[in-house]
Amino acid sequence: MRTEATRPGDSLAALSPAESARLMAVMRDAALSRGRLPLPARPVIGQSWDRMLRLGLDPDRGHDRGLLSLDELERRRRATRLADVLPTLHSGLLEAAEAARHIMIIADADGRVLWIDGHRGIRRHAEGIALTEGAHWAEETAGTSGIGTALAVRAPVRVHSAEHFVRAFHTWSCAAAPVRDPRDGQLLGVIDISGPAPTAHPTVLSLVTATARWAEGELRLAHSRELDALRALAAPVLARIPGKAAVVDRHGWVAAVTGISPQDHRLPLPKAAREAPYGPVWLPSLGTCAVEPLPGGHLLRVLDGEDGDRAPAGTGHLVLDVRHRHHWSLTFSGPSGTWTHGLSARHAELLLVLTAHPEGRTAAQLAHDLFGDPTRTVTVRAALSRLRGQLGAVLAHRPYRFADHIRVEVLEPDRRQDLLPFSVAPAVDRLRD
């Protein structure tokens, strides 16, 4: 979309709420027609509008946000770790939401609304736009919104008035922040405060973000207590083992070791450990291990004669799965086993770019690929250092590339336009085209 050059002092912040809402509506209409915008939209909003145009979403009503059955809603509520921090979320947000005549919303990683609480009159008003428990509020159904866009970009987002892609939501303002599971980095969902646009305050985003971080801190403390319990159990077990071994929890976090010094605090846990918890399996940082179950985790015994820095003989098969909007993974299969590693947004971008350049990329080239700025090599090297610590022999360097013994396959979404939709990296944008 094109934007006109802005004059000094031209900004939405300088306008009254009514004038700002009218100008945002003009900007949205111009974006829908691919015309010239009187002012540039905020990047997070403009990029979301572009995604909605690529999806062909109805700009007036969105798509059907059909409700979950009551049984499925209850199943999701019981399964999510967000339930463990409900008291924290309520104490951080509910009183403020009610005082501002707003509502508090908790949605899972699929954009399904699990809980709504807050001002009773606004809750009734929300039912008119299908903002109810069990409804689907991901971007592909509801367009640009606090819930959907925070899920898409995995960052705190405020969407005000006509910044919503769907016209039916222009009387609303919402602020949302994602909550991640500190054990594996996976997105648990988002927390959101929504209400009438005229009474919304910009600082609500700071409150929502702080509460999300508070909830993640509570989950991190709970995980620390779990590791302490596993560590106490592991001590006598490891004392009886003469060789190299590690005790990890079900997510691969290291509780205790003997005879080894892992490069990272977390090891990619093989599928075999979850499906049939007995080795041998191969781990990039340890080599071939026997895997035995422990209450709350696994014992990994490094088998003699295996070099932990070397992949097993033969060609390994690596699958980079970027089909989904919010979940990405790397799965390695070789002669000694299979493991799957969940990826962060940045790591998914890096690995996808490397698959497009099997000859390898320098740090400067990757910085240009991701940021359009070849000088940002420190950020790239830090991300790749962590990746190599997690993936071991899978990645080579000088230049950065997949190791020679690895055969790489990429699983992409049905439409290339949906490839890592959150990403604004120039290289990913080229791959979409």
mmCIF file of all heavy atoms in Angstrom, residues 229-248 255-259 290-295 297-301:
data_model
loop_
_atom_site.group_PDB
_atom_site.id
_atom_site.type_symbol
_atom_site.label_atom_id
_atom_site.label_comp_id
_atom_site.label_asym_id
_atom_site.label_seq_id
_atom_site.Cartn_x
_atom_site.Cartn_y
_atom_site.Cartn_z
ATOM 1 N N ALA A 229 12.411 -31.051 42.377
ATOM 2 C CA ALA A 229 11.933 -32.365 42.809
ATOM 3 C C ALA A 229 12.602 -33.476 41.997
ATOM 4 O O ALA A 229 12.999 -34.517 42.541
ATOM 5 C CB ALA A 229 10.415 -32.440 42.668
ATOM 6 N N LEU A 230 12.746 -33.245 40.682
ATOM 7 C CA LEU A 230 13.395 -34.244 39.829
ATOM 8 C C LEU A 230 14.879 -34.354 40.182
ATOM 9 O O LEU A 230 15.449 -35.451 40.164
ATOM 10 C CB LEU A 230 13.216 -33.849 38.365
ATOM 11 C CG LEU A 230 13.798 -34.811 37.314
ATOM 12 C CD1 LEU A 230 13.184 -36.198 37.462
ATOM 13 C CD2 LEU A 230 13.549 -34.263 35.910
ATOM 14 N N ARG A 231 15.505 -33.231 40.527
ATOM 15 C CA ARG A 231 16.923 -33.235 40.902
ATOM 16 C C ARG A 231 17.160 -34.077 42.160
ATOM 17 O O ARG A 231 18.140 -34.823 42.251
ATOM 18 C CB ARG A 231 17.377 -31.791 41.103
ATOM 19 C CG ARG A 231 18.872 -31.581 41.117
ATOM 20 C CD ARG A 231 19.195 -30.094 41.068
ATOM 21 N NE ARG A 231 18.874 -29.544 39.749
ATOM 22 C CZ ARG A 231 17.976 -28.585 39.537
ATOM 23 N NH1 ARG A 231 17.289 -28.085 40.549
ATOM 24 N NH2 ARG A 231 17.758 -28.136 38.321
ATOM 25 N N ALA A 232 16.257 -33.956 43.109
ATOM 26 C CA ALA A 232 16.386 -34.751 44.338
ATOM 27 C C ALA A 232 16.245 -36.244 44.040
ATOM 28 O O ALA A 232 16.952 -37.078 44.623
ATOM 29 C CB ALA A 232 15.330 -34.309 45.350
ATOM 30 N N LEU A 233 15.345 -36.573 43.113
ATOM 31 C CA LEU A 233 15.165 -37.968 42.716
ATOM 32 C C LEU A 233 16.373 -38.471 41.940
ATOM 33 O O LEU A 233 16.775 -39.636 42.061
ATOM 34 C CB LEU A 233 13.903 -38.091 41.856
ATOM 35 C CG LEU A 233 13.595 -39.468 41.276
ATOM 36 C CD1 LEU A 233 13.182 -40.431 42.392
ATOM 37 C CD2 LEU A 233 12.483 -39.372 40.247
ATOM 38 N N ALA A 234 17.003 -37.573 41.137
ATOM 39 C CA ALA A 234 18.091 -37.992 40.249
ATOM 40 C C ALA A 234 19.387 -38.255 40.993
ATOM 41 O O ALA A 234 20.206 -39.072 40.553
ATOM 42 C CB ALA A 234 18.320 -36.913 39.186
ATOM 43 N N ALA A 235 19.622 -37.570 42.116
ATOM 44 C CA ALA A 235 20.915 -37.665 42.797
ATOM 45 C C ALA A 235 21.326 -39.102 43.111
ATOM 46 O O ALA A 235 22.432 -39.532 42.737
ATOM 47 C CB ALA A 235 20.901 -36.800 44.059
ATOM 48 N N PRO A 236 20.497 -39.896 43.791
ATOM 49 C CA PRO A 236 20.932 -41.276 44.072
ATOM 50 C C PRO A 236 21.020 -42.141 42.820
ATOM 51 O O PRO A 236 21.816 -43.083 42.766
ATOM 52 C CB PRO A 236 19.850 -41.790 45.028
ATOM 53 C CG PRO A 236 18.662 -40.917 44.782
ATOM 54 C CD PRO A 236 19.205 -39.585 44.415
ATOM 55 N N VAL A 237 20.200 -41.833 41.802
ATOM 56 C CA VAL A 237 20.262 -42.605 40.557
ATOM 57 C C VAL A 237 21.593 -42.384 39.858
ATOM 58 O O VAL A 237 22.275 -43.328 39.442
ATOM 59 C CB VAL A 237 19.089 -42.211 39.625
ATOM 60 C CG1 VAL A 237 19.213 -42.905 38.273
ATOM 61 C CG2 VAL A 237 17.753 -42.546 40.275
ATOM 62 N N LEU A 238 21.997 -41.130 39.701
ATOM 63 C CA LEU A 238 23.250 -40.820 39.016
ATOM 64 C C LEU A 238 24.457 -41.294 39.817
ATOM 65 O O LEU A 238 25.504 -41.610 39.235
ATOM 66 C CB LEU A 238 23.342 -39.316 38.760
ATOM 67 C CG LEU A 238 22.330 -38.743 37.762
ATOM 68 C CD1 LEU A 238 22.516 -37.235 37.618
ATOM 69 C CD2 LEU A 238 22.454 -39.414 36.400
ATOM 70 N N ALA A 239 24.351 -41.343 41.145
ATOM 71 C CA ALA A 239 25.476 -41.788 41.976
ATOM 72 C C ALA A 239 25.842 -43.239 41.694
ATOM 73 O O ALA A 239 26.987 -43.653 41.935
ATOM 74 C CB ALA A 239 25.142 -41.605 43.455
ATOM 75 N N ARG A 240 24.893 -44.017 41.196
ATOM 76 C CA ARG A 240 25.151 -45.438 40.925
ATOM 77 C C ARG A 240 25.622 -45.692 39.503
ATOM 78 O O ARG A 240 25.906 -46.823 39.134
ATOM 79 C CB ARG A 240 23.870 -46.240 41.175
ATOM 80 C CG ARG A 240 23.401 -46.223 42.620
ATOM 81 C CD ARG A 240 22.327 -47.281 42.848
ATOM 82 N NE ARG A 240 21.138 -47.026 42.063
ATOM 83 C CZ ARG A 240 20.083 -46.312 42.502
ATOM 84 N NH1 ARG A 240 20.123 -45.780 43.722
ATOM 85 N NH2 ARG A 240 19.033 -46.137 41.744
ATOM 86 N N ILE A 241 25.696 -44.626 38.655
ATOM 87 C CA ILE A 241 26.056 -44.803 37.244
ATOM 88 C C ILE A 241 27.522 -44.438 37.054
ATOM 89 O O ILE A 241 27.932 -43.316 37.355
ATOM 90 C CB ILE A 241 25.149 -43.927 36.351
ATOM 91 C CG1 ILE A 241 23.702 -44.414 36.455
ATOM 92 C CG2 ILE A 241 25.625 -43.949 34.907
ATOM 93 C CD1 ILE A 241 22.725 -43.587 35.664
ATOM 94 N N PRO A 242 28.348 -45.370 36.541
ATOM 95 C CA PRO A 242 29.779 -45.086 36.396
ATOM 96 C C PRO A 242 30.121 -44.205 35.191
ATOM 97 O O PRO A 242 31.158 -43.543 35.185
ATOM 98 C CB PRO A 242 30.389 -46.482 36.233
ATOM 99 C CG PRO A 242 29.275 -47.296 35.626
ATOM 100 C CD PRO A 242 28.009 -46.759 36.196
ATOM 101 N N GLY A 243 29.278 -44.170 34.178
ATOM 102 C CA GLY A 243 29.612 -43.447 32.962
ATOM 103 C C GLY A 243 28.986 -42.076 32.890
ATOM 104 O O GLY A 243 28.717 -41.427 33.911
ATOM 105 N N LYS A 244 28.733 -41.622 31.652
ATOM 106 C CA LYS A 244 28.147 -40.306 31.412
ATOM 107 C C LYS A 244 26.618 -40.433 31.360
ATOM 108 O O LYS A 244 26.098 -41.351 30.717
ATOM 109 C CB LYS A 244 28.650 -39.734 30.087
ATOM 110 C CG LYS A 244 30.165 -39.602 29.996
ATOM 111 C CD LYS A 244 30.578 -39.156 28.593
ATOM 112 C CE LYS A 244 32.082 -39.064 28.471
ATOM 113 N NZ LYS A 244 32.496 -38.667 27.095
ATOM 114 N N ALA A 245 25.945 -39.502 31.994
ATOM 115 C CA ALA A 245 24.481 -39.572 32.010
ATOM 116 C C ALA A 245 23.906 -38.202 32.362
ATOM 117 O O ALA A 245 24.590 -37.336 32.912
ATOM 118 C CB ALA A 245 23.994 -40.628 33.003
ATOM 119 N N ALA A 246 22.632 -38.038 32.041
ATOM 120 C CA ALA A 246 21.899 -36.822 32.384
ATOM 121 C C ALA A 246 20.477 -37.203 32.721
ATOM 122 O O ALA A 246 19.923 -38.162 32.173
ATOM 123 C CB ALA A 246 21.914 -35.829 31.228
ATOM 124 N N VAL A 247 19.893 -36.444 33.629
ATOM 125 C CA VAL A 247 18.470 -36.590 33.944
ATOM 126 C C VAL A 247 17.777 -35.317 33.469
ATOM 127 O O VAL A 247 18.199 -34.203 33.811
ATOM 128 C CB VAL A 247 18.239 -36.805 35.445
ATOM 129 C CG1 VAL A 247 16.751 -36.722 35.778
ATOM 130 C CG2 VAL A 247 18.798 -38.160 35.872
ATOM 131 N N VAL A 248 16.741 -35.477 32.641
ATOM 132 C CA VAL A 248 16.012 -34.341 32.088
ATOM 133 C C VAL A 248 14.530 -34.517 32.389
ATOM 134 O O VAL A 248 14.054 -35.639 32.614
ATOM 135 C CB VAL A 248 16.225 -34.215 30.565
ATOM 136 C CG1 VAL A 248 17.687 -34.010 30.237
ATOM 137 C CG2 VAL A 248 15.681 -35.450 29.823
ATOM 138 N N ALA A 255 18.077 -31.550 34.677
ATOM 139 C CA ALA A 255 17.969 -31.457 36.130
ATOM 140 C C ALA A 255 19.294 -31.799 36.799
ATOM 141 O O ALA A 255 19.662 -31.190 37.809
ATOM 142 C CB ALA A 255 16.871 -32.381 36.645
ATOM 143 N N ALA A 256 20.028 -32.788 36.254
ATOM 144 C CA ALA A 256 21.297 -33.205 36.857
ATOM 145 C C ALA A 256 22.104 -33.975 35.818
ATOM 146 O O ALA A 256 21.538 -34.551 34.878
ATOM 147 C CB ALA A 256 21.042 -34.072 38.090
ATOM 148 N N VAL A 257 23.433 -33.971 35.980
ATOM 149 C CA VAL A 257 24.320 -34.679 35.052
ATOM 150 C C VAL A 257 25.441 -35.342 35.840
ATOM 151 O O VAL A 257 25.725 -34.984 36.989
ATOM 152 C CB VAL A 257 24.938 -33.725 33.999
ATOM 153 C CG1 VAL A 257 23.870 -33.059 33.152
ATOM 154 C CG2 VAL A 257 25.814 -32.663 34.664
ATOM 155 N N THR A 258 26.098 -36.285 35.188
ATOM 156 C CA THR A 258 27.327 -36.854 35.705
ATOM 157 C C THR A 258 28.235 -37.169 34.524
ATOM 158 O O THR A 258 27.805 -37.778 33.537
ATOM 159 C CB THR A 258 27.069 -38.122 36.545
ATOM 160 O OG1 THR A 258 28.309 -38.604 37.065
ATOM 161 C CG2 THR A 258 26.416 -39.226 35.737
ATOM 162 N N GLY A 259 29.468 -36.697 34.585
ATOM 163 C CA GLY A 259 30.455 -36.999 33.556
ATOM 164 C C GLY A 259 30.359 -36.182 32.289
ATOM 165 O O GLY A 259 31.143 -36.398 31.362
ATOM 166 N N ALA A 290 21.026 -44.364 25.725
ATOM 167 C CA ALA A 290 19.911 -45.191 26.190
ATOM 168 C C ALA A 290 18.995 -44.283 26.998
ATOM 169 O O ALA A 290 19.457 -43.465 27.796
ATOM 170 C CB ALA A 290 20.423 -46.338 27.046
ATOM 171 N N VAL A 291 17.686 -44.401 26.766
ATOM 172 C CA VAL A 291 16.709 -43.546 27.439
ATOM 173 C C VAL A 291 15.831 -44.405 28.335
ATOM 174 O O VAL A 291 15.233 -45.378 27.883
ATOM 175 C CB VAL A 291 15.844 -42.790 26.415
ATOM 176 C CG1 VAL A 291 14.884 -41.837 27.130
ATOM 177 C CG2 VAL A 291 16.706 -42.030 25.431
ATOM 178 N N GLU A 292 15.782 -44.050 29.611
ATOM 179 C CA GLU A 292 14.992 -44.812 30.564
ATOM 180 C C GLU A 292 14.057 -43.861 31.306
ATOM 181 O O GLU A 292 14.419 -42.716 31.581
ATOM 182 C CB GLU A 292 15.914 -45.533 31.559
ATOM 183 C CG GLU A 292 16.891 -46.480 30.876
ATOM 184 C CD GLU A 292 17.908 -47.054 31.838
ATOM 185 O OE1 GLU A 292 17.685 -46.916 33.070
ATOM 186 O OE2 GLU A 292 18.914 -47.611 31.380
ATOM 187 N N PRO A 293 12.856 -44.325 31.627
ATOM 188 C CA PRO A 293 11.886 -43.434 32.288
ATOM 189 C C PRO A 293 12.204 -43.221 33.751
ATOM 190 O O PRO A 293 12.696 -44.108 34.440
ATOM 191 C CB PRO A 293 10.568 -44.182 32.102
ATOM 192 C CG PRO A 293 10.963 -45.628 32.032
ATOM 193 C CD PRO A 293 12.303 -45.659 31.353
ATOM 194 N N LEU A 294 11.930 -42.007 34.210
ATOM 195 C CA LEU A 294 11.962 -41.664 35.625
ATOM 196 C C LEU A 294 10.670 -40.920 35.943
ATOM 197 O O LEU A 294 10.093 -40.288 35.046
ATOM 198 C CB LEU A 294 13.150 -40.757 35.945
ATOM 199 C CG LEU A 294 14.554 -41.373 35.972
ATOM 200 C CD1 LEU A 294 15.587 -40.267 36.191
ATOM 201 C CD2 LEU A 294 14.656 -42.421 37.065
ATOM 202 N N PRO A 295 10.199 -40.952 37.185
ATOM 203 C CA PRO A 295 9.018 -40.152 37.526
ATOM 204 C C PRO A 295 9.270 -38.673 37.244
ATOM 205 O O PRO A 295 10.156 -38.066 37.825
ATOM 206 C CB PRO A 295 8.837 -40.424 39.022
ATOM 207 C CG PRO A 295 9.503 -41.740 39.256
ATOM 208 C CD PRO A 295 10.667 -41.773 38.319
ATOM 209 N N GLY A 297 10.374 -37.454 34.385
ATOM 210 C CA GLY A 297 11.422 -37.178 33.402
ATOM 211 C C GLY A 297 12.034 -38.429 32.822
ATOM 212 O O GLY A 297 11.397 -39.487 32.765
ATOM 213 N N HIS A 298 13.303 -38.290 32.389
ATOM 214 C CA HIS A 298 13.999 -39.389 31.720
ATOM 215 C C HIS A 298 15.463 -39.405 32.133
ATOM 216 O O HIS A 298 16.070 -38.358 32.396
ATOM 217 C CB HIS A 298 13.932 -39.234 30.199
ATOM 218 C CG HIS A 298 12.539 -39.111 29.666
ATOM 219 N ND1 HIS A 298 11.714 -40.181 29.437
ATOM 220 C CD2 HIS A 298 11.810 -38.018 29.332
ATOM 221 C CE1 HIS A 298 10.548 -39.765 28.979
ATOM 222 N NE2 HIS A 298 10.592 -38.449 28.905
ATOM 223 N N LEU A 299 16.024 -40.596 32.176
ATOM 224 C CA LEU A 299 17.457 -40.781 32.364
ATOM 225 C C LEU A 299 18.083 -41.054 30.999
ATOM 226 O O LEU A 299 17.662 -41.966 30.281
ATOM 227 C CB LEU A 299 17.716 -41.968 33.309
ATOM 228 C CG LEU A 299 19.179 -42.416 33.427
ATOM 229 C CD1 LEU A 299 20.025 -41.337 34.085
ATOM 230 C CD2 LEU A 299 19.276 -43.729 34.194
ATOM 231 N N LEU A 300 19.082 -40.244 30.635
ATOM 232 C CA LEU A 300 19.805 -40.412 29.374
ATOM 233 C C LEU A 300 21.203 -40.920 29.704
ATOM 234 O O LEU A 300 22.012 -40.201 30.296
ATOM 235 C CB LEU A 300 19.900 -39.087 28.615
ATOM 236 C CG LEU A 300 18.603 -38.315 28.378
ATOM 237 C CD1 LEU A 300 18.888 -36.989 27.688
ATOM 238 C CD2 LEU A 300 17.625 -39.144 27.563
ATOM 239 N N ARG A 301 21.497 -42.156 29.336
ATOM 240 C CA ARG A 301 22.835 -42.729 29.554
ATOM 241 C C ARG A 301 23.581 -42.736 28.231
ATOM 242 O O ARG A 301 23.152 -43.367 27.262
ATOM 243 C CB ARG A 301 22.737 -44.143 30.115
ATOM 244 C CG ARG A 301 22.249 -44.202 31.558
ATOM 245 C CD ARG A 301 22.426 -45.579 32.167
ATOM 246 N NE ARG A 301 21.628 -46.592 31.482
ATOM 247 C CZ ARG A 301 22.116 -47.518 30.673
ATOM 248 N NH1 ARG A 301 23.418 -47.567 30.415
ATOM 249 N NH2 ARG A 301 21.319 -48.404 30.102
#
